[in-house]
């Protein structure tokens, strides 16, 4: 859920004295800004461990306490001295949080830690985007009902939690500083924010960006079917460019394979579940009929009606044979449903490992 944007339309005061006109001059917009507060105690190194591909990675840095304390105390209102359209002042407001210069040492340290992982794991550009995305996505998503305005990215890192706009600001700032074409997606109607990264495919709506959801670990290029509160993204977002670098995402083909496997496996499970319900009822009815026939034959045998008993034996054998065939088909269908559910859950639960998920998805589709 987006935090509120507080704006104030200020009046410029003009003073006339002795035939001369003097005044208080203001820029047209005064956005939020960090004023570092010296003397804040050290906070120690903050550690994040998160899943990535086949293992886990750890980030450990110590942000500047003066910058963090200043961010906490910052005035988060946007002061307007001109009547600007929303499409003009909303980008100014959010970019002030992402690009405040007092956060640059924080970004430098955090990106140094991420680059160490990139070099150790020999990540290409796509996997590096995914590393940064998964790191931010793994920060717990929490809406603070007392904090009605966005956080500066340094706050999100130190606090260890953030809302959709808090985490999106952090991710967009990091990707932009690593040279990727980056934007914020501002969904005013749905009160949601996400990130876009320049991509050669899997672009969101009519933009040139692949969608990245930040509220949970998810694939680059696959928007959520629904948000955490059940809402659907139906409006076109306001696109707020954050970085105009030449870097872009190129793994859209593999992402498309994963998305197709997710869709087909989900649809197949729904189809199988419906058929299994029908076949369960049929097997139960057939089982009851067999039990009734077996009871009837037992009565005939005990009563000495051998001829009638023998007449029913062939019918019983025919029914039991048909029942066994139906049960065998049911078990095969149940096995397919279970394996398809496992595949779908694996893909949904391993968005931190796009290369591995791609191989699983491809194997399923080629099946």
């Amino acid at each position: 859920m987006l935090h509120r944007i507080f704006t104030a339309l200020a009046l410029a005061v003009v003073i006339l004295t002795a035939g001369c006109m003097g005044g208080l001059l203001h820029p047209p917009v005064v956005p939020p800004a960090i004023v570092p507060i010296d003397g804040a105690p050290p906070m120690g190194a903050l550690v994040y461990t998160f899943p990535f591909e086949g293992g886990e990675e750890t980030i450990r840095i110590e942000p500047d306490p003066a910058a963090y304390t200043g961010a906490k105390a910052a005035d988060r209102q946007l002061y307007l001295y001109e009547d600007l359209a929303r499409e003009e002042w909303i980008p100014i407001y959010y970019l002030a949080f992402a690009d405040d210069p007092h956060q640059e040492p924080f970004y430098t340290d955090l990106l140094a830690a991420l680059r160490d992982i990139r070099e150790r794991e020999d990540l290409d550009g796509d996997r590096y985007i995914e590393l940064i995305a998964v790191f931010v996505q793994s920060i717990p998503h929490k809406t603070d009902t007392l904090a009605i305005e966005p956080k500066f990215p340094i706050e999100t890192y130190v606090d260890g939690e953030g809302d959709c706009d808090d985490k999106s600001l952090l991710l967009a700032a990091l990707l932009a500083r690593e040279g990727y074409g980056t934007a914020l997606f501002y969904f005013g109607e749905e009160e949601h924010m996400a990130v876009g990264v320049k991509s050669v495919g899997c672009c969101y709506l009519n933009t040139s960006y692949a969608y990245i959801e930040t509220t949970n670990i998810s694939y680059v290029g696959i928007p959520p079917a629904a948000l955490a509160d059940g809402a659907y993204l139906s409006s076109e977002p306001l696109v707020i460019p954050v970085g105009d670098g030449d870097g872009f995402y190129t793994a859209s083909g593999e992402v498309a394979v994963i998305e197709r496997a997710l869709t087909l496996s989900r649809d197949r499970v729904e189809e199988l579940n419906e058929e299994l319900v029908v076949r369960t009822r049929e097997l139960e009815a057939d089982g009851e009929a067999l039990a009734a026939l077996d009871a009837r034959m037992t009565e005939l045998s005990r009563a000495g009606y051998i001829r009638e008993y023998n007449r029913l034996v062939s019918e019983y054998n025919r029914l039991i044979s048909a029942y066994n065939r139906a049960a065998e088909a049911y078990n095969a269908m149940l096995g397919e449903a279970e394996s398809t559910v496992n595949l779908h859950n694996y893909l949904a639960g391993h968005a931190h490992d796009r290369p591995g998920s791609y191989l699983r998805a491809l194997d399923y589709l080629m099946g």
Side-chain angles (χ1 to χ4, degrees):
M1 179 178 178
L2 282 174
H3 292 103
R4 297 180 185 176
I5 304 176
F6 281 84
T7 62
L9 185 59
L11 298 177
V13 180
V14 178
I15 304 174
L16 299 179
T17 60
C20 297
M21 186 171 67
L24 300 177
L25 301 179
H26 296 275
V29 180
V30 178
I34 295 174
V35 178
I37 299 176
D38 294 329
M43 59 187 66
L46 301 173
V47 180
Y48 281 91
T49 298
F50 57 97
F52 183 67
E53 296 190 351
E56 288 185 333
E57 299 295 347
T58 297
I59 296 290
R60 180 184 289 102
I61 68 167
E62 182 176 358
D64 177 18
Y68 170 73
T69 306
K72 277 294 183 187
D75 180 357
R76 295 161 201 265
Q77 287 199 95
L78 179 71
Y79 293 90
L80 299 178
Y81 293 90
E82 291 182 2
D83 189 10
L84 300 180
R86 284 173 56 86
E87 292 75 13
E88 295 178 281
W89 61 257
I90 287 177
I92 294 172
Y93 183 74
Y94 279 107
L95 290 175
F97 285 89
D99 293 339
D100 189 287
H102 294 291
Q103 295 180 115
E104 292 304 326
F106 159 69
Y107 290 139
T108 298
D109 291 345
L110 183 51
L111 288 170
L114 290 164
R115 289 170 189 162
D116 285 344
I117 298 173
R118 178 185 63 185
E119 294 173 7
R120 169 168 42 85
E121 299 299 326
D122 193 24
L123 303 180
D124 60 20
D126 295 328
R127 293 167 68 201
Y128 188 47
I129 291 173
E130 292 160 355
L131 172 72
I132 299 173
V134 171
F135 160 65
V136 175
Q137 290 168 339
S138 68
I139 296 174
H141 173 251
K142 182 179 179 181
T143 299
D144 187 346
T145 56
L146 298 179
I148 56 178
E149 298 151 325
K151 293 180 179 181
F152 287 90
I154 192 172
E155 294 179 85
T156 301
Y157 182 89
V158 175
D159 294 347
E161 61 187 29
D163 206 341
C164 61
D165 49 359
D166 304 328
K167 296 175 66 177
S168 293
L169 285 165
L170 174 58
L171 177 58
L174 294 174
L175 291 175
R177 280 156 181 77
E178 288 299 72
Y180 295 102
T182 311
L184 293 167
F185 289 153
Y186 177 89
F187 297 90
E189 291 184 17
E190 294 85 359
E191 297 186 340
H192 188 62
M193 180 172 279
V195 174
V197 62
K198 284 284 187 178
S199 177
V200 295
C202 62
C203 294
Y204 187 68
L205 298 181
N206 59 351
T207 74
S208 57
Y209 299 93
Y211 182 105
I212 308 178
E213 179 63 33
T214 60
T215 58
N216 55 57
I217 296 178
S218 53
Y219 294 99
V220 175
I222 301 182
L227 301 178
D229 60 0
Y232 295 90
L233 294 177
S234 57
S235 67
E236 288 197 13
L238 173 63
V239 178
I240 305 172
V242 180
D244 58 358
D246 296 330
F248 53 90
Y249 190 67
T250 66
S252 55
E254 294 190 3
V255 172
V257 169
I258 295 170
E259 186 172 24
R260 178 166 174 75
L262 280 166
T263 300
L264 292 180
S265 60
R266 181 198 63 223
D267 293 346
R268 181 57 177 159
V269 167
E270 292 177 356
E271 178 185 340
L272 289 170
N273 282 341
E274 291 178 2
E275 182 64 22
L276 284 168
V277 169
V278 173
R279 295 201 179 194
T280 297
R281 292 171 181 166
E282 292 175 347
L283 282 171
E284 289 174 349
D286 291 345
E288 291 173 359
L290 279 169
L293 182 57
D294 182 69
R296 172 62 177 158
M297 292 173 67
T298 299
E299 291 176 0
L300 291 172
S301 177
R302 289 174 179 172
Y305 296 109
I306 304 304
R307 179 179 296 178
E308 181 64 13
Y309 174 88
N310 289 337
R311 186 184 68 80
L312 294 177
V313 167
S314 60
E315 176 66 10
Y316 180 85
N317 289 339
R318 183 186 68 80
L319 291 177
I320 196 67
S321 178
Y323 181 87
N324 288 337
R325 288 195 301 272
E328 183 178 351
Y330 175 90
N331 288 334
M333 184 174 292
L334 181 62
E336 181 188 353
E338 290 176 346
S339 64
T340 306
V341 166
N342 290 338
L343 180 279
H344 183 89
N345 290 343
Y346 181 91
L347 296 179
H350 285 74
H352 57 275
D353 182 17
R354 184 262 311 164
S357 294
Y358 166 71
L359 295 177
R360 290 283 191 105
L362 186 63
D363 183 64
Y364 172 73
L365 295 176
M366 298 292 289

